[in-house]
Amino acid sequence: MSSAMLTSNAIASLHSDEKGEFAVQVLTVKPFKETGRYSCTLTDGTTKTKAMTTKTSSLLFKDGDVEDFGVVKILEWTTNEVRGEKVVIMLQAEVVCKSLGEEVGAVAAAVTPAPKVARTEKNSAPSSSSSPPSNAKPIVQRSMTSGSRRVQPISSLNPYAPSWTIKARVTSKSDMRVFNRKTDGQQAKVFNIELVDEQGTEIQATMWHEVADRCFAQFQVNKVYFISKGTLKPANRQYSQVNNQYELTINERTEIDECMEEASFPVVPTYNLVSFGNLAAQIDGKNSFDVMGVVQTVGELGSVKRKSDGNELFRRDITLVDSESRSVHLTVWNRLATEEPGPELASKMSSGENVVLLAKNLRATSYNGVSISTVARSQLFLNPECSEAAELRTWYEGGGKDAPTVAAGAGLSTALGPGSLQGTKSNLKEMQPEELAPASAAPEFFVMRSTVCRIKPDQPMYYLACPEEGLNYKVVEENGGYWCEANQKRYPNFKRRYIMSFQAMDNHASCWVSTFNEQAEAILGQTADELAELRECDSKRYERTLKEACWRSYNMRFKVKTDEYNG
C-alpha cells in the first residue's frame, strides 16, 4: 500500500513539537479503561509511537468516523513521557480516511523512546537538546521568535499534560512579598504575575523563594514570553481573581524565553461587562468587574499623600457615560494615571476625539452613591476593537453626546426619605421568604423603614484594612508591619473598618443584618478606630455606646442574596 497519504517523518515532528499538521495512520485502537478516551498506535510508514485521545478527539473513534488502519490529520497535540517513552496526546484531529484495510509500509523502527540526557565522563553535562536537570534555573533567552517554537493556547492547559509551551504577555506584576514561614520561622519570598495570550485567555503565575529572586527582575509588564514546564493546579480563589480555573507555579525546571516579536502580538482582552445601572450591586464586593463607556471628561494629574507614611499617590479622574445615558466617576491611580494610557487619553480628549474606554478589574465604593476606581491589577484599553465598543461609539456620535445624563449613583447615597432609595418597597417578613432563591440568583434590593433593636457587643465589629485612600482590603499583621494579600503591599499601620451585624425589626418581623463601614458609622455615630479605643480602654462605655444606638429607626436599603457555605 502506498504511503503517499502520510506525512513523511511525522512521528519525529510530533515528538519534537514542530509546527504543522501531520497525517498519520491509526493502528490498534482500544478504549482506555472506562475514561471515555482511547489508546492507539500512530505510524508515518517508517516509525511508530503510542498515542492517547482526549475527550474531544475521542469522538472520532466513538462515532465510528475512523477505525483501525484509518488515516487522521493531527492538528493540535502535546506529548507526555511514560516509562521513558514519548506518548502523543491528540488534542484535535480530523479524518482523512476511515480505513485503508491494512498497515501502510514496512515499519522498521520500534516505538520511539524519549531522548535521554547525554553526559560526558567528567562533568556529566547535559546536551543542548536534552531536558534540564531537576535543579535547573529558569533562564530568559532574549532571542526567541515565534517561528522557532510551537505554542498552545492557555485555555488548553491542564494538570495532566505536563509538556506544553505558551506564549503570553505579562499584564500585571505584584510586589515581592517577604514573610516568615509558620512551620520553621524561615524567611520566604513570593510574587505573582498575570499572563494573557493571543486569544485573550488569562492565567496567574506564582514564583516562590529562590525562583522568585531569579525571576522578579526578568518579568516585565507588557513584555511577551514563551513559558514551558511549569506546574498547574486548581486556582485558589482566596488569592486569585483571574478568570481561569487553574493557576501556574513557575519552578526550577520552568523554561522562560522572552519573545522578540512583541510588536506582532495582538491582545484581544476578554471582559465581563457590568452596566452602569448595576454598579450598586458591586459596592464593596469581593470580585472585580469590567466596564466600558465613552470618555466625557479627563481630569488633570493630581496626587494625595498617604497619611500612614506620607508617600505621594498619583490619581486622575475620568467621567464615563454608557448607552443608557448613565455616567460614573472613575479614579485611576499611580501607573495608570502617570504612564500610558493616562497621558494618551488626555491628549486624545484635548484634540476632540471621542474615545471608548474599556476598564478591567475595578472595584466600586459608595462614594457619591457609587464610584469606581482602579486597583493594582487593573487594565485600561483605549478604543478596543469589539462590537460593544462600535455600538457605543455609534450611539454617542449619533446624538448620545448631547443627551442629558444621570449619575449611576443617583438615589443611592444617604437621604431623608425612603422614596430616594432605589429598591422594592417591602417589609422584613416579605424580604425573608420560606423558599430561598438559589445561590446563583442575582441579588435583590428592598427599601423599608426599620428599627435597630440589638447589637451584640461580643462580635468582631471591625477588621484591619489598608490605610491607603480608596482601598478597603484586609491586612494581616506580619513581621512588625501589615501585609495586604489583595494588592501585594506592606504597610506600617492600618485603619479599622466596620463589619457589623445588628438585629432589625419592623411591625411584621425581625432579622439579622450585616452592614459595613459607612452605614455602621451612621448607626453608631463614630468611626471604627474610635469604637476600638473604647472597647480596649473602657468596656462599660463601649457597651453603653452600642445600647444607645438601639431603638432608632432608619430608612434602610437592603441587599438580599442567598449564599452557600459547605453545602
Side-chain angles (χ1 to χ4, degrees), residues 78-98:
T78 185
T79 56
N80 197 358
E81 187 173 328
V82 180
R83 299 186 184 92
E85 294 179 349
K86 277 200 170 183
V87 177
V88 174
I89 311 296
M90 292 188 289
L91 303 177
Q92 185 178 352
E94 61 182 29
V95 178
V96 177
C97 177
K98 184 173 183 179

Side-chain angles (χ1 to χ4, degrees), residues 110-179:
V111 174
T112 306
K116 298 186 181 295
V117 177
R119 301 182 182 276
T120 61
E121 294 183 358
K122 292 184 179 181
N123 55 20
S124 299
S127 68
S128 60
S129 61
S130 63
S131 301
S134 60
N135 61 349
K137 299 180 179 180
I139 299 174
V140 173
Q141 300 174 351
R142 310 191 69 86
S143 60
M144 297 301 297
T145 61
S146 298
S148 58
R149 298 288 285 270
R150 177 181 176 272
V151 299
Q152 63 190 83
I154 290 176
S155 59
S156 68
L157 299 183
N158 65 77
Y160 310 105
S163 178
W164 48 262
T165 299
I166 60 173
K167 177 186 175 185
R169 184 190 300 276
V170 178
T171 58
S172 71
K173 173 183 171 182
S174 73
D175 294 329
M176 180 75 77
R177 178 189 172 195
V178 182
F179 62 98

Side-chain angles (χ1 to χ4, degrees), residues 44 61 121 142 208 257 268 298 304 319 349 377 392 445 500 516 529 535 563:
D44 59 11
F61 302 100
E121 294 183 358
R142 310 191 69 86
W208 296 86
D257 304 304
V268 180
V298 179
V304 296
T319 302
M349 291 297 294
R377 58 187 294 266
L392 193 57
F445 295 89
M500 182 183 78
F516 299 97
D529 285 325
R535 192 174 195 174
D563 284 328

Side-chain angles (χ1 to χ4, degrees), residues 149-432:
R149 298 288 285 270
R150 177 181 176 272
V151 299
Q152 63 190 83
I154 290 176
S155 59
S156 68
L157 299 183
N158 65 77
Y160 310 105
S163 178
W164 48 262
T165 299
I166 60 173
K167 177 186 175 185
R169 184 190 300 276
V170 178
T171 58
S172 71
K173 173 183 171 182
S174 73
D175 294 329
M176 180 75 77
R177 178 189 172 195
V178 182
F179 62 98
N180 291 330
R181 290 186 293 220
K182 293 182 179 179
T183 53
D184 54 13
Q186 296 295 314
Q187 188 181 79
K189 297 181 179 181
V190 63
F191 83 98
N192 57 61
I193 58 175
E194 292 180 14
L195 302 166
V196 63
D197 65 6
E198 291 175 298
Q199 296 182 348
T201 308
E202 300 171 302
I203 193 169
Q204 178 173 291
T206 303
M207 284 138 280
W208 296 86
H209 314 315
E210 293 82 4
V211 177
D213 275 333
R214 290 196 293 269
C215 293
F216 188 79
Q218 295 173 347
F219 280 116
Q220 299 295 323
V221 174
N222 287 330
K223 288 192 175 182
V224 179
Y225 299 87
F226 295 102
I227 302 175
S228 58
K229 299 183 181 179
T231 302
L232 283 154
K233 63 178 182 179
N236 185 342
R237 291 303 175 197
Q238 183 179 357
Y239 303 112
S240 174
Q241 294 187 8
V242 175
N243 185 24
N244 197 314
Q245 61 177 323
Y246 299 116
E247 60 183 79
L248 172 64
T249 300
I250 293 178
N251 52 44
E252 292 84 355
R253 292 180 56 85
T254 303
E255 296 179 0
I256 307 166
D257 304 304
E258 183 179 342
C259 176
M260 302 308 294
E261 297 177 348
E262 182 177 337
S264 64
F265 185 86
V267 175
V268 180
T270 58
Y271 45 85
N272 184 18
L273 297 179
V274 173
S275 66
F276 291 4
N278 292 326
L279 286 175
Q282 306 295 327
I283 293 176
D284 294 329
K286 294 181 180 179
N287 297 323
S288 60
F289 58 90
D290 312 329
V291 301
M292 184 183 294
V294 180
V295 180
Q296 274 195 321
T297 62
V298 179
E300 296 292 332
L301 180 65
S303 65
V304 296
K305 283 194 175 181
R306 188 160 49 199
K307 294 180 181 179
S308 58
D309 54 13
N311 285 346
E312 191 173 26
L313 304 176
F314 293 98
R315 58 177 289 171
R316 193 185 294 269
D317 295 328
I318 300 172
T319 302
L320 301 176
V321 62
D322 69 0
S323 58
E324 297 179 349
S325 295
R326 290 184 179 271
S327 63
V328 70
H329 178 83
L330 167 66
T331 301
V332 297
W333 292 92
N334 297 330
R335 175 179 57 85
L336 294 176
T338 58
E339 303 173 10
E340 301 298 342
E344 180 186 357
L345 179 58
S347 174
K348 287 179 178 291
M349 291 297 294
S350 63
S351 65
E353 181 178 345
N354 297 326
V355 179
V356 176
L357 177 67
L358 168 61
K360 288 177 56 63
N361 304 319
L362 305 178
R363 62 182 297 273
T365 67
S366 57
Y367 178 72
N368 283 341
V370 60
S371 297
I372 55 179
S373 62
T374 61
V375 294
R377 58 187 294 266
S378 298
Q379 297 172 266
L380 301 181
F381 298 90
L382 303 185
N383 298 322
E385 297 181 2
C386 59
S387 59
E388 292 89 345
E391 292 173 2
L392 193 57
R393 182 186 296 277
T394 300
W395 166 82
Y396 192 73
E397 295 177 348
K401 181 177 183 179
D402 301 320
T405 60
V406 178
L412 297 181
S413 56
T414 303
L416 295 176
S420 62
L421 300 177
Q422 292 185 346
T424 304
K425 292 184 179 180
S426 183
N427 58 60
L428 292 178
K429 184 177 181 179
E430 293 177 352
M431 196 178 72
Q432 304 173 82

